[in-house]
Amino acid sequence: MISKGLPGFRDFPPEDFALRAHIFRVWREVAARYGFEEYDGPPLEPLDLYTAKSGDEIVGQLYNFVDKGDRQVALRPEMTPTLARMVGARANGMKKPIRWFSIPQLFRYERQQRGRLREHFQLNCDLIGEAGPLADAEIIALSIDMMRGFGLGPQDVRVRVSDRLFLSSALRQLGIADAMTPLVFQAIDRIEKNAAAAREMLDAHLDTVTVAGVFRLTDPAHRAELRRSISAATHFGAALNALDEMGFGEWIDFDPTIVRGLAYYTGTVFELFDAKRTLRAICGGGRYDTLLGSLGGADLPALGFGMGDVVLGELLKDRGLHPSVGASIDVFVAAVTPADVEHVLKLSHELRDAGLRVEFALNTQAVGKQLNLANARGARLAVVIGPDDRARGEVQLKDLVYKTQEAITDSSLASHLSSLVNDSRLTTPNG
RNA sequence: GUGCCUGUAGCUCAAUUGGUUAGAGCGCCGCACUGUGGCUGCGGAGGUUGCGGGUUCAAUCCCCGUCAGGCACCCCA
């Protein structure tokens, strides 16, 4: 009896792997367009890499254990500490800003739900060494272009953006002490999901008038007005304007309830959601100017985002934007009689050497069955070889799509097939 | 970690208020079809009804436990 896989861990049979490969491909293509270079690190790290500074939120759900050398280790729950270590070790010699991305598999020990497993792949894009607002615009633009790369538009995905500095100063104007800011952030983070709980948190620490002020600040009805109050002279205002100029204005929703849970964000924060809001966040990120220094790496301003493959995959399936499973071969080579198999083997390998994807029957089968298999594989072409053909130095070439057949001389076959297949690859989607 | 809901063939679902040997469609395999494909017809394989226990003459159905999945919390990548 083969035991089941662990809860929250996935198998990837070919039809699922195709989606994953598609997602990775788009991630890499788009990242490359922004000049980002790919890096990676170990999936298993010393436990203290995460318990040291990263924030207690993550530590509670670490997938950790003691290895055979009595070391406390953890499967990586996030990439940032690893990134900080790598950058810290070599930042002095690197031209700034640093544009790096990675697609790590991350792990968390928590109860799974749709869009949230114990393991996922997460695109991490980070821009290190630039404090100015164009860096903020650049990283948000990158996240938006990722969506465009999958065929998603502003009607599918919304980018909700805020700025912790902006929010802090707004809270200060309400008379809230700086010491209270983290708690108020936490309450604001919950307003949308559970307004009653948020109000309870605030009521416990603030007077009624101030609480009302916080709710007014985050009220969707006042958002347009609040957005107009953000001066272009501020970092946040300049970043928003830059996104407008990049042509991404219609994706952006300024939303002061976005603060994000992680304690280390220092400025811009943003999240991407599907427009129908039926799924969890597709992407989240922000500016973390003090984190790298506090982790003991280089003291550089930085910002970045993480985008998981699970929610994104759900969204692509919902919208019919996932890749269909394409043909696995170009050509099927069929033998009419056992005496033809020798010839089939020889020809098949000539075609494989020419770069074509080729399959043939591994046992003796009627020609009809072999063609049936060719169709099931999605082959564009089939070559049928029988005793009569061999006697004439020919093979029968069938086009399985157009249902045509012609005799071809054996010697000219490889180049003939290559050109046919290359044509059809250009014109067939997902081929 | 907490609460609620759901587990029947590879997939989607049936099965009379508890009643004989748990069925169907799709898919898979075979045959009609020994030199020509997607159709059609016929046939076949595939189930400890998630698992364990209990109640009962009798359990897919009721009860308990457990595991898994979904939803909401918690938290957030």
Side-chain angles (χ1 to χ4, degrees), chain A residues 31-32 34-39 94 98-102 124 126:
Chain A
Y34 280 69
F36 277 62
E37 297 177 292
E38 187 165 3
Y39 69 96
M94 293 179 68
I98 297 164
R99 294 166 178 257
W100 277 14
F101 82 97
S102 188
N124 274 246
D126 290 276

Side-chain angles (χ1 to χ4, degrees), chain A residues 35 37 64 69 106 109 122 147 155-156 172 180 182 247 260 267 277 294 305 320 325 337 373 381 384 410 428:
Chain A
E37 297 177 292
N64 65 305
L106 304 179
Y109 197 90
Q122 186 189 63
M147 297 298 100
Q155 69 282 6
D156 301 307
R172 221 170 284 128
M180 295 296 299
R260 299 194 47 75
R277 301 297 296 278
S294 72
F305 66 78
V325 176
T337 70
L373 182 57
L381 300 168
V384 180
D410 204 345
T428 307

Side-chain angles (χ1 to χ4, degrees), chain A residues 79-278:
Chain A
M79 200 56 176
T80 308
T82 304
L83 173 67
R85 182 181 62 211
M86 293 174 69
V87 169
R90 47 189 302 161
N92 280 342
M94 293 179 68
K95 198 77 178 165
K96 316 296 183 306
I98 297 164
R99 294 166 178 257
W100 277 14
F101 82 97
S102 188
I103 307 179
Q105 188 173 23
L106 304 179
F107 304 87
R108 294 201 144 184
Y109 197 90
E110 62 181 352
R111 191 156 167 182
Q112 70 160 319
Q113 290 182 36
R114 186 185 185 203
R116 176 182 182 170
L117 307 171
R118 287 184 171 176
E119 149 274 316
H120 74 150
F121 291 93
Q122 186 189 63
L123 171 69
N124 274 246
C125 295
D126 290 276
L127 188 47
I128 299 164
E130 176 52 59
L134 285 187
D136 302 63
E138 180 82 334
I139 210 78
I140 293 171
L142 175 55
S143 74
I144 293 171
D145 266 332
M146 291 289 169
M147 297 298 100
R148 294 178 67 221
F150 290 107
L152 296 161
Q155 69 282 6
D156 301 307
V157 174
R158 303 303 304 167
V159 182
R160 306 166 73 196
V161 187
S162 187
D163 179 13
R164 285 191 175 185
L165 293 178
F166 169 82
L167 195 57
S168 297
S169 90
L171 295 180
R172 221 170 284 128
Q173 281 172 32
L174 289 172
I176 296 170
D178 285 356
M180 295 296 299
T181 312
L183 184 133
V184 178
F185 275 3
Q186 210 182 334
I188 290 175
D189 194 27
R190 300 178 72 174
I191 280 180
E192 186 178 74
K193 243 188 165 175
N194 191 342
R199 183 175 295 278
E200 200 175 318
M201 277 179 77
L202 293 172
D203 281 341
H205 297 89
L206 304 172
D207 63 74
T208 338
V209 177
T210 311
V211 172
V214 172
F215 273 86
R216 198 180 318 117
L217 182 65
T218 57
D219 188 338
H222 299 140
R223 238 160 246 179
E225 181 191 342
L226 199 60
R227 167 68 183 88
R228 283 193 295 275
S229 76
I230 300 168
S231 162
T234 65
H235 181 101
F236 187 40
L240 289 175
N241 286 351
L243 283 163
D244 277 342
E245 282 150 22
M246 289 169 165
F248 293 135
E250 58 174 332
W251 292 74
I252 307 289
D253 294 328
F254 165 63
D255 186 339
T257 65
I258 297 293
V259 296
R260 299 194 47 75
L262 291 177
Y264 57 62
Y265 288 113
T266 57
T268 303
V269 283
F270 68 100
E271 296 185 347
L272 273 59
F273 283 89
D274 73 290
K276 292 181 190 163
R277 301 297 296 278
T278 57

